[in-house]
Amino acid sequence: MPHTADMQVEAWSPTVAGCIGEAVRAVVEGFADTSGAAVVGDRAYAITAESDEDLLVSVLEEVVYRMDADGEIPLDVEVGAIRSAEDSRGLSVRFRMADAGTAVAVGAVPKAVSLHGLQLRCGPGGWTCRVTLDV
C-alpha cells in the first residue's frame, strides 16, 4: 500500500463465505506466523449485517477485536453459508484461536478495518474481495 500504515489483502474462493474465510487467513498471515502458536480454544459468533461486504468487515473487525481485547488470533476459521433475512444477511463463524503471545510477529498488527476501497464481488471465477486494514 502507498500509505505505510495500511495493509491490503485480496482473497478469492468459489463461494462468498469461502472468500470471507480466506480474507481472515490472509490478514493473519500478513502479521503473524502461527505455526508454533498455542491453541486456546474455539470461539463461535453469529454475525448479521446489511450486505455481504458488511459481513466481511464485521468478521475482520471481530478478528481485530479479539487480538486487542483477549490477545487471541485465529489459527483457522470456518464460515457458514450466508443466510438472508428481511433486510439483512447473516452467517456463523467459528475461529480456532491461539494465544497471540505465542505467535511470531512478521508484520504490523491491524488496528481497524477501513471501508476505503472495500470490494466483495462475484465474477466468472468465483468470489473475490479486497480489504484494507489500518496498522
Side-chain angles (χ1 to χ4, degrees):
M1 291 294 303
H3 190 275
T4 57
D6 289 341
M7 171 175 60
Q8 187 175 76
V9 298
E10 294 184 26
W12 54 93
S13 177
T15 67
V16 64
C19 192
I20 292 171
E22 290 300 322
V24 169
R25 289 179 190 93
V27 166
V28 173
E29 289 174 6
F31 72 89
D33 175 357
T34 60
S35 59
V39 175
V40 295
D42 291 341
R43 310 282 184 255
Y45 305 97
I47 296 174
T48 304
E50 291 183 17
S51 68
D52 291 348
E53 286 180 333
D54 291 338
L55 288 173
L56 170 63
V57 169
S58 294
V59 171
L60 293 175
E61 285 176 341
E62 186 66 30
V63 171
V64 171
Y65 174 75
R66 289 291 150 207
M67 288 185 298
D68 186 48
D70 299 330
E72 296 179 355
I73 56 176
L75 291 173
D76 197 16
V77 59
E78 293 177 24
V79 179
I82 294 179
R83 303 174 306 281
S84 292
E86 283 185 27
D87 293 330
S88 65
R89 308 275 282 157
L91 57 76
S92 60
V93 180
R94 178 175 297 278
F95 294 112
R96 162 89 48 197
M97 301 300 279
D99 178 344
T102 63
V104 176
V106 297
V109 176
K111 301 294 182 204
V113 180
S114 172
L115 300 179
H116 178 72
L118 176 67
Q119 295 179 4
L120 179 61
R121 297 185 177 144
C122 184
W127 287 84
T128 61
C129 68
R130 178 181 300 140
V131 63
T132 302
L133 294 100
D134 299 327
V135 296

